[in-house]
C-alpha cells in the first residue's frame, strides 16, 4: 500500500509564498507522475501542476509563480508558490501514480492526499 501525507498549507498575505510538500511512503517501486490540484469553494477541482519524466506542466493561472519539483530519493513532491493571490485560495491536493510491491506482485497505484488548505488574504 501507499500513503500520502501533505503539509505546508496555511494563511498568507497576498504577495507571499508557501511551499507544499507531498510525501509518499510504503512499498513504492516507482513514481511515474506527481501532481497538484486545487479546489476552491463552489468550484470544480482543477489542475495546478504536474511533473513526470517528460517534464512539467502548469495551469496558465500559475505559470511564472508556482514551481513543481520532486525528490525521488525521498519520494516527495513539492509545490513552491510565490506571489500568491487571493484567487489562489483553495484546498490543494496532491496526486501521485506509479507502482508498488505487495511482496509478491507489482501493482499500479493512483492515490490522492488528504488536502491542505491555502488561504491568501488581500
Amino acid at each position: 500500500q501507499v500513503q500520502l501525507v501533505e503539509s505546508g498549507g496555511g494563511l498568507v498575505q497576498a504577495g507571499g509564498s508557501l511551499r507544499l510538500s507531498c510525501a509518499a511512503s510504503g512499498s513504492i517501486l516507482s513514481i511515474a507522475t506527481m501532481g497538484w490540484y486545487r479546489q476552491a469553494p463552489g468550484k470544480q477541482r482543477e489542475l495546478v501542476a504536474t511533473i513526470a519524466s517528460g517534464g512539467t506542466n502548469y495551469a496558465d493561472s500559475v505559470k511564472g509563480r508556482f514551481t513543481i519539483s520532486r525528490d525521488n530519493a525521498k519520494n516527495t513532491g513539492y509545490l513552491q508558490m510565490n506571489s500568491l493571490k487571493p484567487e489562489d485560495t483553495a484546498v490543494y491536493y496532491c496526486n501521485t501514480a506509479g507502482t508498488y510491491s505487495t511482496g509478491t506482485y507489482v501493482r499500479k497505484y493512483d492515490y490522492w492526499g488528504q488536502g491542505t488548505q491555502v488561504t491568501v488574504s488581500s
Side-chain angles (χ1 to χ4, degrees), residues 26-42:
S27 302
I28 297 170
L29 297 177
S30 68
I31 297 179
T33 62
M34 185 169 278
W36 290 93
Y37 297 74
R38 66 187 181 187
Q39 187 166 18

Side-chain angles (χ1 to χ4, degrees), residues 54-66:
T56 57
N57 180 52
Y58 295 92
D60 288 342
S61 59
V62 307
K63 282 181 181 177
R65 300 188 298 121
F66 292 10

